Amino acid sequence: MARYALRRLMAEYKQLTVNPPEGIIAGPMNEENFFEWEALITGPEDTPFEGGVFPAKLQFPSDYPLSPPKMQFTCEMFHPNIYPDGRVCISILHSPGDDPTGYESSSERWSPVQSVEKILLSVVSMLAEPNDESAANLDAAKMWRDDRQQFNQIAQKLVRHTLGLQ
């Protein structure tokens, strides 16, 4: 199984290098281990995260693409769908099948037709449009709903920090 996963990851890496999505760079941390990737995601335009460059890691299971990778930002983040330790919480990264809580439909969750590129584009979209109803960071979700100005100030501080300006 791991051999198939490796071939798939190598193909996805090649696709990302040939045709990279705008604002995203991603690939294996080293060529000895294709199951650990690093990514740099540029904050989307017209959002509080605009201009930031946010590093993250992806950890792929040996049965990829049957199971989703795990993704974690390696810089400080404050966002409704990112746990305080940086782990990303979005539907596309949830195991396939029915949601035990009944919140997500199975079509929103991971499936083997997904790809690293789709994950990263989903994360960019998540940065632009948080889902405060399914919060991983309750403080960020509450602030997003109730005090958008303060949320934006914190996000802009994080942007400056990722650029080494603080």
Side-chain angles (χ1 to χ4, degrees):
M1 192 57 159
R3 192 167 42 217
Y4 177 76
L6 177 60
R7 282 199 310 266
R8 168 82 180 251
L9 287 167
M10 290 173 83
E12 289 192 42
Y13 175 57
K14 182 177 181 183
Q15 178 62 31
L16 282 171
T17 57
V18 170
N19 189 18
E22 186 175 330
I24 297 171
I25 299 171
M29 293 176 81
N30 66 63
E31 297 201 6
E32 301 296 316
N33 183 359
F34 262 76
F35 291 88
E36 290 183 22
W37 286 33
E38 55 192 346
L40 291 174
I41 297 173
T42 303
E45 289 183 17
D46 300 322
T47 73
F49 298 97
E50 180 176 6
V53 180
F54 303 97
K57 289 183 182 179
L58 291 110
Q59 180 72 43
F60 295 89
S62 62
D63 67 345
Y64 180 80
L66 298 178
S67 296
K70 294 183 182 345
M71 183 172 176
Q72 183 171 10
F73 281 96
T74 57
C75 63
E76 183 181 352
M77 291 296 286
F78 187 75
H79 187 281
N81 308 116
I82 301 172
Y83 288 99
D85 68 0
R87 288 178 294 133
V88 176
C89 181
I90 55 174
S91 300
I92 194 174
L93 292 176
H94 295 162
S95 296
D98 293 329
D99 178 5
T101 66
Y103 180 76
E104 302 166 330
S105 74
S106 60
S107 65
E108 296 174 301
R109 296 167 70 88
W110 179 259
S111 84
V113 300
Q114 306 294 3
S115 66
V116 175
E117 180 177 6
K118 288 178 184 175
I119 293 166
L120 296 172
L121 289 171
S122 294
V123 169
V124 170
S125 178
M126 173 202 74
L127 288 174
E129 298 177 28
N131 177 358
D132 63 354
E133 293 178 17
S134 178
N137 183 326
L138 297 176
D139 293 335
K142 183 172 179 7
M143 192 178 295
W144 170 260
R145 274 193 305 269
D146 300 341
D147 192 347
R148 190 70 57 91
Q149 182 177 354
Q150 185 179 4
F151 179 90
N152 291 347
Q153 289 172 344
I154 291 171
Q156 290 161 4
K157 180 180 175 190
L158 294 172
V159 165
R160 289 190 302 277
H161 185 72
T162 69
L163 300 174
L165 301 175
Q166 277 186 315

